[in-house]
Amino acid sequence: MAEPDSSFRLLGNSAWNAAAFLIGVGLNLLILPFVVFRLGLAAFGVAGLVTACVAPALAFSNSLALSTARELAQRLAPDERDDARRFFATALLLAAAMGGLIVMILCLAGPPLARLAFNLSGKAADDLGLAFVFGAGGWLCQCVAAVFLALFTARQDYPRIASINIISAIIATASMVVLIPRWPQASTYLGCQALGFATSLLAALALSRRVIGGWLARPALHRGPLGDLVNLGVWQLAAQAGGIIAGQADRYLLGALLQPQFVGFYTIAQRLEEAMYIGILKVGEILFPFFSTLQRESSDRKADLLFRSSWVLNVLAASALGALIPVAGPLLHLWTGAEVAAEAQRVLVVLSIAGMLGCSANVFAFYLLASGRSRSNALISFVTAVFTLATSAVALPYFGWQAAGWSACIGMMAQIVTIIILLRQSFSLVGMWSRMAHFVLLPLGTGIVTALVLRHSVNDTLSNQAPHWWYVGGLYCLAAGIIFVVVVAASRAGPHGAACWRDLRVIASRFLPVKAA
């Protein structure tokens, strides 16, 4: 993929991103059964509802971070330092001013609206005020820290970004172990998460001052940079908002229609699927600054890199997410208990399929954003949100909570159709449809079918015995390996099989101790 040096750098950045994610998500998954046991499913469900209410604010912070990183990535030369500092100062002012306003709205309007929308009363309702303060405060720390991290993202300095994320995860996890047994409330859990975000802000500030202090600036308003950030960010804001609302739709409707413990069941299943999905997203995240540097390349060159990068991530998604499907029940049983496993395993299967379908959009979203086409990303998110919300509104009242996750699958299918249409408009390439089928649809479709066949094959065996960690872990690795082999074997056929195999050899030569054959 690309030239050898460029490929190795991309793979190295992906490895750092993946390492930070694995440590962070590993700590998160390890601590979650402890949190559920200490809080109870009802309080954990309330924490999930508060998180869902704060989540739309991520649309602003994520779009600001991406817009800032894109502008800074194009101004890395020493003679462009002053221009870059003006962009940084403007972004920092937006994060602090707009972020502070959003926090005030969440803290004042969030608790009464949550009580009304989710029918909360008693002890759970009494804790909402503090829960929203911690949830919103943690988001503000995350928002401001993202501006500092954009300096490292623009330079593709992922080792430092990874170290900051690892420190944040360790602090948040340690505080949960200490504080939750003493104050078993939803607000305590959210407060520990906020402490982790505050740590990442302090670490990002300290590290940026030490390493690239000359590129920092105090918050200030500069009209030129403000216009550039807003022009790119407004459509990215719409794209982020649509994606976040689509991702939280089931939580909102479950909270409005059912008791908080069902939100807890859904949150647990979603946490596992989300962990894998975000991990894959983190591995591919390094493509955003990489694509930002390719604006002067030919259309054929960009399309070639785009589709081949997509194939690599789709193979990874099919293997990592698909392997959850055969072991969904035993994994949930071991992780959080038999009650959660009985209620949530079907939801985990459906969410895993939705996550695999959703991975088809990741690389294309990074490419569109790097090309300044945030309007296309907004369209993708809008279509996804409409189909997701419509399906949730119809399915949940009629089929009950087990229908949670169906909407995500329908939304992801609509997303794939939208992406195909946009790509057809972006590239006038011979064999466009064959590339789309081979690099995108083939690995995902093959992975989904193989995972469902494996689930059907081992379902009876797993249900007749008590699960053990070593057995479930081994079965997950075996399933991931089988899916990987089947997908790669299927991808070797066809006109693009040689390119897929060549890229796989490049990756193997980067990470394996022996040279790939």
Side-chain angles (χ1 to χ4, degrees), residues 277 281 306 310 313-314 354-369 377 380-381 384 411-412 414-420 423 436 440 444:
Y277 181 85
L281 186 65
L306 179 65
S310 177
L313 288 186
N314 286 331
M356 294 167 71
L357 294 173
C359 285
S360 65
N362 289 341
V363 174
F364 302 110
F366 288 133
Y367 170 76
L368 292 171
L369 180 60
N377 273 339
I380 294 170
S381 295
T384 305
M412 293 304 117
Q415 184 182 77
I416 291 176
V417 173
T418 307
I419 288 173
I420 291 174
L423 287 177
M436 189 72 190
V440 179
L444 293 178

PDB file of all heavy atoms in Angstrom, residues 277 281 306 310 313-314 354-369 377 380-381 384 411-412 414-420 423 436 440 444:
ATOM      1  N   TYR A 277     -15.414  -2.203  17.425  1.00  0.00           N
ATOM      2  CA  TYR A 277     -15.639  -1.264  16.323  1.00  0.00           C
ATOM      3  C   TYR A 277     -14.704  -0.060  16.440  1.00  0.00           C
ATOM      4  O   TYR A 277     -14.072   0.348  15.456  1.00  0.00           O
ATOM      5  CB  TYR A 277     -17.098  -0.811  16.332  1.00  0.00           C
ATOM      6  CG  TYR A 277     -17.437   0.146  15.214  1.00  0.00           C
ATOM      7  CD1 TYR A 277     -17.783  -0.330  13.956  1.00  0.00           C
ATOM      8  CD2 TYR A 277     -17.413   1.524  15.410  1.00  0.00           C
ATOM      9  CE1 TYR A 277     -18.093   0.541  12.913  1.00  0.00           C
ATOM     10  CE2 TYR A 277     -17.719   2.400  14.382  1.00  0.00           C
ATOM     11  CZ  TYR A 277     -18.057   1.902  13.140  1.00  0.00           C
ATOM     12  OH  TYR A 277     -18.351   2.767  12.121  1.00  0.00           O
ATOM     13  N   LEU A 281     -11.703   1.408  14.119  1.00  0.00           N
ATOM     14  CA  LEU A 281     -11.699   2.816  13.725  1.00  0.00           C
ATOM     15  C   LEU A 281     -10.373   3.483  14.085  1.00  0.00           C
ATOM     16  O   LEU A 281      -9.827   4.289  13.318  1.00  0.00           O
ATOM     17  CB  LEU A 281     -12.857   3.541  14.401  1.00  0.00           C
ATOM     18  CG  LEU A 281     -13.109   5.005  14.007  1.00  0.00           C
ATOM     19  CD1 LEU A 281     -13.534   5.083  12.549  1.00  0.00           C
ATOM     20  CD2 LEU A 281     -14.160   5.623  14.904  1.00  0.00           C
ATOM     21  N   LEU A 306      -7.396   4.355  -1.676  1.00  0.00           N
ATOM     22  CA  LEU A 306      -8.648   4.356  -0.934  1.00  0.00           C
ATOM     23  C   LEU A 306      -9.257   2.955  -0.848  1.00  0.00           C
ATOM     24  O   LEU A 306      -9.583   2.465   0.239  1.00  0.00           O
ATOM     25  CB  LEU A 306      -9.628   5.320  -1.598  1.00  0.00           C
ATOM     26  CG  LEU A 306     -11.022   5.462  -0.991  1.00  0.00           C
ATOM     27  CD1 LEU A 306     -10.930   6.055   0.400  1.00  0.00           C
ATOM     28  CD2 LEU A 306     -11.901   6.320  -1.877  1.00  0.00           C
ATOM     29  N   SER A 310      -9.376   0.333   2.333  1.00  0.00           N
ATOM     30  CA  SER A 310     -10.687  -0.144   2.766  1.00  0.00           C
ATOM     31  C   SER A 310     -10.698  -1.662   2.908  1.00  0.00           C
ATOM     32  O   SER A 310     -11.266  -2.204   3.866  1.00  0.00           O
ATOM     33  CB  SER A 310     -11.759   0.305   1.768  1.00  0.00           C
ATOM     34  OG  SER A 310     -13.020  -0.203   2.125  1.00  0.00           O
ATOM     35  N   LEU A 313      -8.996  -2.783   6.228  1.00  0.00           N
ATOM     36  CA  LEU A 313      -9.822  -2.548   7.410  1.00  0.00           C
ATOM     37  C   LEU A 313     -11.073  -3.423   7.412  1.00  0.00           C
ATOM     38  O   LEU A 313     -11.546  -3.839   8.481  1.00  0.00           O
ATOM     39  CB  LEU A 313     -10.214  -1.073   7.488  1.00  0.00           C
ATOM     40  CG  LEU A 313      -9.099  -0.108   7.875  1.00  0.00           C
ATOM     41  CD1 LEU A 313      -9.656   1.298   8.051  1.00  0.00           C
ATOM     42  CD2 LEU A 313      -8.405  -0.535   9.160  1.00  0.00           C
ATOM     43  N   ASN A 314     -11.621  -3.706   6.249  1.00  0.00           N
ATOM     44  CA  ASN A 314     -12.803  -4.572   6.195  1.00  0.00           C
ATOM     45  C   ASN A 314     -12.463  -6.007   6.581  1.00  0.00           C
ATOM     46  O   ASN A 314     -13.268  -6.689   7.227  1.00  0.00           O
ATOM     47  CB  ASN A 314     -13.424  -4.535   4.798  1.00  0.00           C
ATOM     48  CG  ASN A 314     -14.152  -3.231   4.533  1.00  0.00           C
ATOM     49  OD1 ASN A 314     -14.657  -2.599   5.455  1.00  0.00           O
ATOM     50  ND2 ASN A 314     -14.193  -2.814   3.279  1.00  0.00           N
ATOM     51  N   ALA A 354     -24.145  -5.222  12.517  1.00  0.00           N
ATOM     52  CA  ALA A 354     -24.252  -3.802  12.168  1.00  0.00           C
ATOM     53  C   ALA A 354     -22.884  -3.124  12.179  1.00  0.00           C
ATOM     54  O   ALA A 354     -22.583  -2.289  11.315  1.00  0.00           O
ATOM     55  CB  ALA A 354     -25.192  -3.102  13.145  1.00  0.00           C
ATOM     56  N   GLY A 355     -22.047  -3.483  13.149  1.00  0.00           N
ATOM     57  CA  GLY A 355     -20.704  -2.909  13.207  1.00  0.00           C
ATOM     58  C   GLY A 355     -19.860  -3.285  12.008  1.00  0.00           C
ATOM     59  O   GLY A 355     -19.113  -2.454  11.468  1.00  0.00           O
ATOM     60  N   MET A 356     -19.979  -4.536  11.550  1.00  0.00           N
ATOM     61  CA  MET A 356     -19.236  -4.960  10.365  1.00  0.00           C
ATOM     62  C   MET A 356     -19.683  -4.176   9.134  1.00  0.00           C
ATOM     63  O   MET A 356     -18.861  -3.724   8.328  1.00  0.00           O
ATOM     64  CB  MET A 356     -19.435  -6.461  10.147  1.00  0.00           C
ATOM     65  CG  MET A 356     -18.819  -7.321  11.248  1.00  0.00           C
ATOM     66  SD  MET A 356     -19.364  -9.041  11.200  1.00  0.00           S
ATOM     67  CE  MET A 356     -18.525  -9.607   9.730  1.00  0.00           C
ATOM     68  N   LEU A 357     -21.000  -3.991   9.007  1.00  0.00           N
ATOM     69  CA  LEU A 357     -21.502  -3.203   7.885  1.00  0.00           C
ATOM     70  C   LEU A 357     -21.052  -1.748   7.992  1.00  0.00           C
ATOM     71  O   LEU A 357     -20.704  -1.110   6.992  1.00  0.00           O
ATOM     72  CB  LEU A 357     -23.033  -3.275   7.843  1.00  0.00           C
ATOM     73  CG  LEU A 357     -23.644  -4.646   7.544  1.00  0.00           C
ATOM     74  CD1 LEU A 357     -25.164  -4.596   7.706  1.00  0.00           C
ATOM     75  CD2 LEU A 357     -23.282  -5.118   6.140  1.00  0.00           C
ATOM     76  N   GLY A 358     -21.043  -1.215   9.212  1.00  0.00           N
ATOM     77  CA  GLY A 358     -20.650   0.176   9.418  1.00  0.00           C
ATOM     78  C   GLY A 358     -19.196   0.445   9.097  1.00  0.00           C
ATOM     79  O   GLY A 358     -18.832   1.572   8.730  1.00  0.00           O
ATOM     80  N   CYS A 359     -18.351  -0.573   9.221  1.00  0.00           N
ATOM     81  CA  CYS A 359     -16.932  -0.383   8.933  1.00  0.00           C
ATOM     82  C   CYS A 359     -16.681  -0.068   7.466  1.00  0.00           C
ATOM     83  O   CYS A 359     -15.612   0.448   7.113  1.00  0.00           O
ATOM     84  CB  CYS A 359     -16.143  -1.634   9.336  1.00  0.00           C
ATOM     85  SG  CYS A 359     -15.910  -1.797  11.118  1.00  0.00           S
ATOM     86  N   SER A 360     -17.642  -0.368   6.607  1.00  0.00           N
ATOM     87  CA  SER A 360     -17.464  -0.077   5.183  1.00  0.00           C
ATOM     88  C   SER A 360     -17.336   1.419   4.926  1.00  0.00           C
ATOM     89  O   SER A 360     -16.780   1.835   3.906  1.00  0.00           O
ATOM     90  CB  SER A 360     -18.651  -0.634   4.385  1.00  0.00           C
ATOM     91  OG  SER A 360     -19.855   0.033   4.746  1.00  0.00           O
ATOM     92  N   ALA A 361     -17.855   2.238   5.859  1.00  0.00           N
ATOM     93  CA  ALA A 361     -17.855   3.689   5.638  1.00  0.00           C
ATOM     94  C   ALA A 361     -16.623   4.383   6.184  1.00  0.00           C
ATOM     95  O   ALA A 361     -16.356   5.540   5.818  1.00  0.00           O
ATOM     96  CB  ALA A 361     -19.097   4.308   6.279  1.00  0.00           C
ATOM     97  N   ASN A 362     -15.857   3.725   7.048  1.00  0.00           N
ATOM     98  CA  ASN A 362     -14.815   4.435   7.786  1.00  0.00           C
ATOM     99  C   ASN A 362     -13.757   5.070   6.892  1.00  0.00           C
ATOM    100  O   ASN A 362     -13.457   6.260   6.999  1.00  0.00           O
ATOM    101  CB  ASN A 362     -14.151   3.484   8.786  1.00  0.00           C
ATOM    102  CG  ASN A 362     -15.069   3.128   9.939  1.00  0.00           C
ATOM    103  OD1 ASN A 362     -16.051   3.822  10.207  1.00  0.00           O
ATOM    104  ND2 ASN A 362     -14.774   2.038  10.624  1.00  0.00           N
ATOM    105  N   VAL A 363     -13.166   4.270   6.017  1.00  0.00           N
ATOM    106  CA  VAL A 363     -12.094   4.794   5.169  1.00  0.00           C
ATOM    107  C   VAL A 363     -12.624   5.885   4.240  1.00  0.00           C
ATOM    108  O   VAL A 363     -11.977   6.919   4.028  1.00  0.00           O
ATOM    109  CB  VAL A 363     -11.451   3.655   4.347  1.00  0.00           C
ATOM    110  CG1 VAL A 363     -10.440   4.213   3.358  1.00  0.00           C
ATOM    111  CG2 VAL A 363     -10.767   2.661   5.279  1.00  0.00           C
ATOM    112  N   PHE A 364     -13.817   5.675   3.688  1.00  0.00           N
ATOM    113  CA  PHE A 364     -14.374   6.665   2.776  1.00  0.00           C
ATOM    114  C   PHE A 364     -14.706   7.969   3.502  1.00  0.00           C
ATOM    115  O   PHE A 364     -14.560   9.057   2.939  1.00  0.00           O
ATOM    116  CB  PHE A 364     -15.619   6.092   2.104  1.00  0.00           C
ATOM    117  CG  PHE A 364     -15.344   4.830   1.346  1.00  0.00           C
ATOM    118  CD1 PHE A 364     -15.822   3.615   1.795  1.00  0.00           C
ATOM    119  CD2 PHE A 364     -14.569   4.850   0.196  1.00  0.00           C
ATOM    120  CE1 PHE A 364     -15.548   2.442   1.107  1.00  0.00           C
ATOM    121  CE2 PHE A 364     -14.295   3.696  -0.504  1.00  0.00           C
ATOM    122  CZ  PHE A 364     -14.782   2.478  -0.040  1.00  0.00           C
ATOM    123  N   ALA A 365     -15.131   7.872   4.768  1.00  0.00           N
ATOM    124  CA  ALA A 365     -15.396   9.080   5.548  1.00  0.00           C
ATOM    125  C   ALA A 365     -14.112   9.868   5.779  1.00  0.00           C
ATOM    126  O   ALA A 365     -14.103  11.101   5.683  1.00  0.00           O
ATOM    127  CB  ALA A 365     -16.042   8.709   6.887  1.00  0.00           C
ATOM    128  N   PHE A 366     -13.010   9.173   6.077  1.00  0.00           N
ATOM    129  CA  PHE A 366     -11.731   9.854   6.264  1.00  0.00           C
ATOM    130  C   PHE A 366     -11.278  10.518   4.961  1.00  0.00           C
ATOM    131  O   PHE A 366     -10.746  11.638   4.976  1.00  0.00           O
ATOM    132  CB  PHE A 366     -10.656   8.876   6.737  1.00  0.00           C
ATOM    133  CG  PHE A 366     -10.829   8.427   8.166  1.00  0.00           C
ATOM    134  CD1 PHE A 366     -10.733   7.083   8.510  1.00  0.00           C
ATOM    135  CD2 PHE A 366     -11.075   9.342   9.172  1.00  0.00           C
ATOM    136  CE1 PHE A 366     -10.888   6.671   9.823  1.00  0.00           C
ATOM    137  CE2 PHE A 366     -11.234   8.938  10.485  1.00  0.00           C
ATOM    138  CZ  PHE A 366     -11.138   7.600  10.810  1.00  0.00           C
ATOM    139  N   TYR A 367     -11.492   9.841   3.848  1.00  0.00           N
ATOM    140  CA  TYR A 367     -11.089  10.415   2.557  1.00  0.00           C
ATOM    141  C   TYR A 367     -11.910  11.666   2.235  1.00  0.00           C
ATOM    142  O   TYR A 367     -11.362  12.697   1.823  1.00  0.00           O
ATOM    143  CB  TYR A 367     -11.252   9.380   1.444  1.00  0.00           C
ATOM    144  CG  TYR A 367     -11.095   9.973   0.071  1.00  0.00           C
ATOM    145  CD1 TYR A 367      -9.837  10.287  -0.424  1.00  0.00           C
ATOM    146  CD2 TYR A 367     -12.215  10.252  -0.719  1.00  0.00           C
ATOM    147  CE1 TYR A 367      -9.691  10.858  -1.685  1.00  0.00           C
ATOM    148  CE2 TYR A 367     -12.073  10.822  -1.969  1.00  0.00           C
ATOM    149  CZ  TYR A 367     -10.813  11.124  -2.446  1.00  0.00           C
ATOM    150  OH  TYR A 367     -10.672  11.696  -3.679  1.00  0.00           O
ATOM    151  N   LEU A 368     -13.215  11.581   2.418  1.00  0.00           N
ATOM    152  CA  LEU A 368     -14.081  12.724   2.133  1.00  0.00           C
ATOM    153  C   LEU A 368     -13.737  13.911   3.018  1.00  0.00           C
ATOM    154  O   LEU A 368     -13.713  15.065   2.580  1.00  0.00           O
ATOM    155  CB  LEU A 368     -15.545  12.333   2.301  1.00  0.00           C
ATOM    156  CG  LEU A 368     -16.093  11.332   1.280  1.00  0.00           C
ATOM    157  CD1 LEU A 368     -17.479  10.864   1.693  1.00  0.00           C
ATOM    158  CD2 LEU A 368     -16.134  11.940  -0.117  1.00  0.00           C
ATOM    159  N   LEU A 369     -13.463  13.626   4.296  1.00  0.00           N
ATOM    160  CA  LEU A 369     -13.115  14.697   5.224  1.00  0.00           C
ATOM    161  C   LEU A 369     -11.776  15.322   4.853  1.00  0.00           C
ATOM    162  O   LEU A 369     -11.616  16.549   4.855  1.00  0.00           O
ATOM    163  CB  LEU A 369     -13.070  14.161   6.654  1.00  0.00           C
ATOM    164  CG  LEU A 369     -12.727  15.166   7.748  1.00  0.00           C
ATOM    165  CD1 LEU A 369     -13.747  16.290   7.790  1.00  0.00           C
ATOM    166  CD2 LEU A 369     -12.651  14.480   9.103  1.00  0.00           C
ATOM    167  N   ASN A 377     -20.114  13.712   3.935  1.00  0.00           N
ATOM    168  CA  ASN A 377     -20.180  12.990   5.206  1.00  0.00           C
ATOM    169  C   ASN A 377     -21.476  13.299   5.936  1.00  0.00           C
ATOM    170  O   ASN A 377     -22.077  12.428   6.568  1.00  0.00           O
ATOM    171  CB  ASN A 377     -18.980  13.366   6.082  1.00  0.00           C
ATOM    172  CG  ASN A 377     -17.760  12.504   5.796  1.00  0.00           C
ATOM    173  OD1 ASN A 377     -17.884  11.415   5.252  1.00  0.00           O
ATOM    174  ND2 ASN A 377     -16.588  12.991   6.145  1.00  0.00           N
ATOM    175  N   ILE A 380     -24.234  11.272   4.379  1.00  0.00           N
ATOM    176  CA  ILE A 380     -24.168   9.873   4.810  1.00  0.00           C
ATOM    177  C   ILE A 380     -24.757   9.714   6.208  1.00  0.00           C
ATOM    178  O   ILE A 380     -25.566   8.814   6.472  1.00  0.00           O
ATOM    179  CB  ILE A 380     -22.714   9.375   4.770  1.00  0.00           C
ATOM    180  CG1 ILE A 380     -22.193   9.339   3.337  1.00  0.00           C
ATOM    181  CG2 ILE A 380     -22.599   7.993   5.405  1.00  0.00           C
ATOM    182  CD1 ILE A 380     -20.705   9.080   3.227  1.00  0.00           C
ATOM    183  N   SER A 381     -24.359  10.585   7.136  1.00  0.00           N
ATOM    184  CA  SER A 381     -24.850  10.504   8.509  1.00  0.00           C
ATOM    185  C   SER A 381     -26.346  10.777   8.590  1.00  0.00           C
ATOM    186  O   SER A 381     -27.062  10.144   9.371  1.00  0.00           O
ATOM    187  CB  SER A 381     -24.095  11.498   9.399  1.00  0.00           C
ATOM    188  OG  SER A 381     -22.737  11.150   9.497  1.00  0.00           O
ATOM    189  N   THR A 384     -28.212   7.714   7.349  1.00  0.00           N
ATOM    190  CA  THR A 384     -28.091   6.663   8.358  1.00  0.00           C
ATOM    191  C   THR A 384     -28.992   6.942   9.551  1.00  0.00           C
ATOM    192  O   THR A 384     -29.689   6.045  10.050  1.00  0.00           O
ATOM    193  CB  THR A 384     -26.630   6.544   8.832  1.00  0.00           C
ATOM    194  OG1 THR A 384     -25.780   6.336   7.706  1.00  0.00           O
ATOM    195  CG2 THR A 384     -26.463   5.385   9.791  1.00  0.00           C
ATOM    196  N   GLY A 411     -29.817   0.943   9.256  1.00  0.00           N
ATOM    197  CA  GLY A 411     -29.102   2.198   9.035  1.00  0.00           C
ATOM    198  C   GLY A 411     -27.789   1.995   8.308  1.00  0.00           C
ATOM    199  O   GLY A 411     -27.429   2.774   7.407  1.00  0.00           O
ATOM    200  N   MET A 412     -27.045   0.935   8.672  1.00  0.00           N
ATOM    201  CA  MET A 412     -25.771   0.669   8.005  1.00  0.00           C
ATOM    202  C   MET A 412     -25.960   0.243   6.550  1.00  0.00           C
ATOM    203  O   MET A 412     -25.145   0.565   5.680  1.00  0.00           O
ATOM    204  CB  MET A 412     -24.996  -0.417   8.771  1.00  0.00           C
ATOM    205  CG  MET A 412     -24.529   0.000  10.149  1.00  0.00           C
ATOM    206  SD  MET A 412     -23.521   1.496  10.142  1.00  0.00           S
ATOM    207  CE  MET A 412     -24.553   2.581  11.101  1.00  0.00           C
ATOM    208  N   ALA A 414     -28.384   1.305   4.614  1.00  0.00           N
ATOM    209  CA  ALA A 414     -28.648   2.569   3.909  1.00  0.00           C
ATOM    210  C   ALA A 414     -27.356   3.358   3.722  1.00  0.00           C
ATOM    211  O   ALA A 414     -27.156   4.028   2.685  1.00  0.00           O
ATOM    212  CB  ALA A 414     -29.667   3.391   4.696  1.00  0.00           C
ATOM    213  N   GLN A 415     -26.464   3.264   4.698  1.00  0.00           N
ATOM    214  CA  GLN A 415     -25.178   3.955   4.607  1.00  0.00           C
ATOM    215  C   GLN A 415     -24.339   3.422   3.450  1.00  0.00           C
ATOM    216  O   GLN A 415     -23.723   4.198   2.697  1.00  0.00           O
ATOM    217  CB  GLN A 415     -24.427   3.777   5.927  1.00  0.00           C
ATOM    218  CG  GLN A 415     -23.114   4.514   6.023  1.00  0.00           C
ATOM    219  CD  GLN A 415     -22.424   4.232   7.345  1.00  0.00           C
ATOM    220  OE1 GLN A 415     -21.839   3.183   7.546  1.00  0.00           O
ATOM    221  NE2 GLN A 415     -22.502   5.187   8.260  1.00  0.00           N
ATOM    222  N   ILE A 416     -24.315   2.108   3.276  1.00  0.00           N
ATOM    223  CA  ILE A 416     -23.533   1.506   2.195  1.00  0.00           C
ATOM    224  C   ILE A 416     -24.053   1.969   0.839  1.00  0.00           C
ATOM    225  O   ILE A 416     -23.279   2.318  -0.069  1.00  0.00           O
ATOM    226  CB  ILE A 416     -23.572  -0.034   2.310  1.00  0.00           C
ATOM    227  CG1 ILE A 416     -22.781  -0.497   3.533  1.00  0.00           C
ATOM    228  CG2 ILE A 416     -23.015  -0.682   1.044  1.00  0.00           C
ATOM    229  CD1 ILE A 416     -22.852  -1.988   3.781  1.00  0.00           C
ATOM    230  N   VAL A 417     -25.392   1.977   0.677  1.00  0.00           N
ATOM    231  CA  VAL A 417     -25.979   2.417  -0.596  1.00  0.00           C
ATOM    232  C   VAL A 417     -25.602   3.868  -0.886  1.00  0.00           C
ATOM    233  O   VAL A 417     -25.233   4.225  -2.023  1.00  0.00           O
ATOM    234  CB  VAL A 417     -27.508   2.252  -0.564  1.00  0.00           C
ATOM    235  CG1 VAL A 417     -28.139   2.861  -1.809  1.00  0.00           C
ATOM    236  CG2 VAL A 417     -27.878   0.780  -0.442  1.00  0.00           C
ATOM    237  N   THR A 418     -25.666   4.719   0.138  1.00  0.00           N
ATOM    238  CA  THR A 418     -25.313   6.139  -0.042  1.00  0.00           C
ATOM    239  C   THR A 418     -23.852   6.297  -0.445  1.00  0.00           C
ATOM    240  O   THR A 418     -23.514   7.109  -1.324  1.00  0.00           O
ATOM    241  CB  THR A 418     -25.584   6.918   1.252  1.00  0.00           C
ATOM    242  OG1 THR A 418     -26.928   6.687   1.681  1.00  0.00           O
ATOM    243  CG2 THR A 418     -25.374   8.407   1.047  1.00  0.00           C
ATOM    244  N   ILE A 419     -22.970   5.538   0.191  1.00  0.00           N
ATOM    245  CA  ILE A 419     -21.540   5.624  -0.128  1.00  0.00           C
ATOM    246  C   ILE A 419     -21.276   5.192  -1.568  1.00  0.00           C
ATOM    247  O   ILE A 419     -20.481   5.812  -2.284  1.00  0.00           O
ATOM    248  CB  ILE A 419     -20.730   4.759   0.855  1.00  0.00           C
ATOM    249  CG1 ILE A 419     -20.700   5.423   2.227  1.00  0.00           C
ATOM    250  CG2 ILE A 419     -19.311   4.555   0.357  1.00  0.00           C
ATOM    251  CD1 ILE A 419     -20.084   4.585   3.295  1.00  0.00           C
ATOM    252  N   ILE A 420     -21.951   4.135  -2.011  1.00  0.00           N
ATOM    253  CA  ILE A 420     -21.762   3.664  -3.386  1.00  0.00           C
ATOM    254  C   ILE A 420     -22.137   4.765  -4.382  1.00  0.00           C
ATOM    255  O   ILE A 420     -21.430   5.022  -5.367  1.00  0.00           O
ATOM    256  CB  ILE A 420     -22.602   2.391  -3.632  1.00  0.00           C
ATOM    257  CG1 ILE A 420     -22.019   1.219  -2.826  1.00  0.00           C
ATOM    258  CG2 ILE A 420     -22.634   2.051  -5.110  1.00  0.00           C
ATOM    259  CD1 ILE A 420     -22.856  -0.045  -2.895  1.00  0.00           C
ATOM    260  N   LEU A 423     -19.433   7.564  -4.241  1.00  0.00           N
ATOM    261  CA  LEU A 423     -18.186   7.158  -4.879  1.00  0.00           C
ATOM    262  C   LEU A 423     -18.316   7.155  -6.396  1.00  0.00           C
ATOM    263  O   LEU A 423     -17.366   7.494  -7.113  1.00  0.00           O
ATOM    264  CB  LEU A 423     -17.771   5.768  -4.382  1.00  0.00           C
ATOM    265  CG  LEU A 423     -17.227   5.695  -2.954  1.00  0.00           C
ATOM    266  CD1 LEU A 423     -16.939   4.254  -2.576  1.00  0.00           C
ATOM    267  CD2 LEU A 423     -15.964   6.528  -2.810  1.00  0.00           C
ATOM    268  N   MET A 436     -15.582  -1.866  -5.920  1.00  0.00           N
ATOM    269  CA  MET A 436     -16.473  -1.752  -4.763  1.00  0.00           C
ATOM    270  C   MET A 436     -16.883  -3.132  -4.265  1.00  0.00           C
ATOM    271  O   MET A 436     -16.886  -3.405  -3.060  1.00  0.00           O
ATOM    272  CB  MET A 436     -17.711  -0.933  -5.163  1.00  0.00           C
ATOM    273  CG  MET A 436     -18.608  -0.567  -4.005  1.00  0.00           C
ATOM    274  SD  MET A 436     -17.840   0.692  -2.964  1.00  0.00           S
ATOM    275  CE  MET A 436     -18.967   0.684  -1.562  1.00  0.00           C
ATOM    276  N   VAL A 440     -14.846  -4.008  -0.779  1.00  0.00           N
ATOM    277  CA  VAL A 440     -15.756  -3.616   0.301  1.00  0.00           C
ATOM    278  C   VAL A 440     -16.785  -4.694   0.599  1.00  0.00           C
ATOM    279  O   VAL A 440     -16.850  -5.230   1.715  1.00  0.00           O
ATOM    280  CB  VAL A 440     -16.468  -2.281  -0.051  1.00  0.00           C
ATOM    281  CG1 VAL A 440     -17.427  -1.881   1.071  1.00  0.00           C
ATOM    282  CG2 VAL A 440     -15.448  -1.182  -0.290  1.00  0.00           C
ATOM    283  N   LEU A 444     -16.840  -8.082   3.757  1.00  0.00           N
ATOM    284  CA  LEU A 444     -17.879  -7.950   4.781  1.00  0.00           C
ATOM    285  C   LEU A 444     -18.943  -9.040   4.639  1.00  0.00           C
ATOM    286  O   LEU A 444     -19.343  -9.666   5.626  1.00  0.00           O
ATOM    287  CB  LEU A 444     -18.522  -6.565   4.686  1.00  0.00           C
ATOM    288  CG  LEU A 444     -17.622  -5.391   5.042  1.00  0.00           C
ATOM    289  CD1 LEU A 444     -18.368  -4.077   4.862  1.00  0.00           C
ATOM    290  CD2 LEU A 444     -17.115  -5.503   6.477  1.00  0.00           C
TER     291      LEU A 444
END
